[in-house]
Amino acid sequence: MKREIKFRAWIDNKMLEWENLLTNSLWIFNNASGMWIFMQFTGLLDKVGKEIYEGDIVLKHDGKTKAKVLYGTDRFYLEPVWYGEAEDGAFQAVKVIGNIYENPELLP
């Protein structure tokens, strides 16, 4: 699967989307005081069309099960792993409900 390569970044307690990183990168770099944490786009959309990024927290179609999106060894995966579902199928019918930086309280 060919996917668009783009990122977002967590810096100074703010999430900066790809477009902001591209258009304001020099200003952001010069004015940022903290560490940059980059999250890669998975190339996938959730069930309402929202882009899924590394670090997102997703809700399974059952409305109860949550997982965070991670990247490792050349693929994206969910933690905890949803056993019994196809690897790629785990991302179908999920909804992004937040991310690990802005909404850490969503995960136990």
Side-chain angles (χ1 to χ4, degrees):
M1 173 176 107
K2 187 174 180 179
R3 66 181 169 86
E4 181 180 10
I5 304 296
K6 61 183 182 177
F7 296 84
R8 66 181 183 196
W10 180 248
I11 181 73
D12 293 338
N13 294 318
K14 285 186 272 191
M15 189 66 70
L16 298 174
E17 299 300 327
W18 180 245
E19 294 77 19
N20 291 334
L21 289 172
L22 291 177
T23 57
N24 301 310
S25 59
L26 186 58
W27 183 87
I28 292 167
F29 180 76
N30 289 330
N31 292 288
S33 61
M35 185 173 80
W36 293 62
I37 301 170
F38 289 95
M39 291 150 275
Q40 189 173 174
F41 176 50
T42 64
L44 302 169
L45 303 176
D46 74 358
K47 67 181 182 180
V48 295
K50 184 175 172 115
E51 294 178 339
I52 301 174
Y53 280 82
E54 176 182 15
D56 277 342
I57 300 169
V58 296
L59 185 64
K60 193 174 178 180
H61 60 82
D62 67 6
K64 297 182 267 184
T65 310
K66 298 175 192 169
K68 61 183 166 182
V69 179
L70 300 173
Y71 181 77
T73 320
D74 78 359
R75 70 178 181 93
F76 290 94
Y77 63 98
L78 298 171
E79 184 183 84
V81 175
W82 296 339
Y83 292 103
E85 296 189 34
E87 203 170 277
D88 291 335
F91 286 99
Q92 297 171 358
V94 300
K95 182 176 181 187
V96 174
I97 58 171
N99 64 67
I100 62 175
Y101 301 102
E102 294 174 307
N103 316 100
E105 73 281 357
L106 292 175
L107 289 174

